[in-house]
Amino acid sequence: MNLAVAILALALGWAAMTGNFSPLNLLLGAAVAGLALWFLRVQLSAPRVWRRSVRFARLVGLFFYELLVSAIKVALLVIRPNLSAHLRPAIIAFPLTEKSDAEITLLANMITLTPGTLSIDVSADRRVLYVHVLSLKSRDALINGIAAGFEKQVIEVFE
């Protein structure tokens, strides 16, 4: 990406966040953007930054998809006439593949932000994440779904 285009885009983003599109504020945004890009020039020139950005965009897309699907499932569950007959709450132990605090935290937060699931705790050895589920159909299906979805994408982002 052309440096001038990046500075212009960041300056416009700055103005949009501050709610002030005056020339002086745009100039300040451009100065901050230029300074930030100058400090990050080595990291931004590496090809892995673009790969990581694409992987992060896929993770965000997956999260919003899962958010929508699970919100619909929880809404359908709640509006049923006999709610207690359809609830199957459970706590499962999800075996973790990732080991870093950032990866575990991101995975746990994504699970918690998805309706119908809640991350409860991480074991002391950081090998297991305990997850509460509102309605459990199959323990193995839930574990495989998290592993193939959120966990796989989180690991790819941090590679």
Side-chain angles (χ1 to χ4, degrees):
M1 176 184 284
N2 187 351
L3 184 63
V5 173
I7 290 174
L8 179 64
L10 290 171
L12 288 173
W14 171 274
M17 285 189 297
T18 60
N20 181 1
F21 284 90
S22 69
L24 190 59
N25 194 42
L26 284 169
L27 185 62
L28 176 63
V32 169
L35 188 63
L37 290 174
W38 184 76
F39 280 121
L40 296 172
R41 69 187 179 279
V42 173
Q43 288 82 9
L44 292 177
S45 65
R48 75 171 218 224
V49 170
W50 298 111
R51 276 188 306 227
R52 185 176 281 177
S53 298
V54 169
R55 290 174 181 170
F56 184 74
R58 279 194 315 218
L59 177 64
V60 169
L62 174 67
F63 173 71
F64 281 116
Y65 172 78
E66 290 291 333
L67 182 70
L68 179 67
V69 169
S70 62
I72 291 170
K73 285 180 181 178
V74 169
L76 291 174
L77 181 69
V78 170
I79 64 172
R80 290 188 176 164
N82 190 1
L83 177 65
S84 60
H86 298 288
L87 286 179
R88 290 180 212 91
I91 296 176
I92 63 149
F94 176 76
L96 291 169
T97 304
E98 61 264 336
K99 298 295 180 214
S100 78
D101 289 340
E103 291 172 324
I104 293 170
T105 301
L106 181 59
L107 177 65
N109 285 332
M110 293 180 84
I111 290 171
T112 296
L113 290 172
T114 306
T117 56
L118 176 70
S119 300
I120 298 172
D121 197 11
V122 178
S123 64
D125 61 358
R126 298 186 327 189
R127 291 186 181 173
V128 177
L129 175 67
Y130 296 99
V131 178
H132 178 273
V133 184
L134 188 60
S135 183
L136 182 66
K137 293 179 183 170
S138 167
R139 178 187 176 278
D140 292 333
L142 179 67
I143 289 174
N144 291 337
I146 293 172
F150 285 150
E151 186 180 39
K152 178 183 172 200
Q153 296 285 332
V154 167
I155 290 170
E156 285 181 3
V157 166
F158 284 93
E159 283 181 344

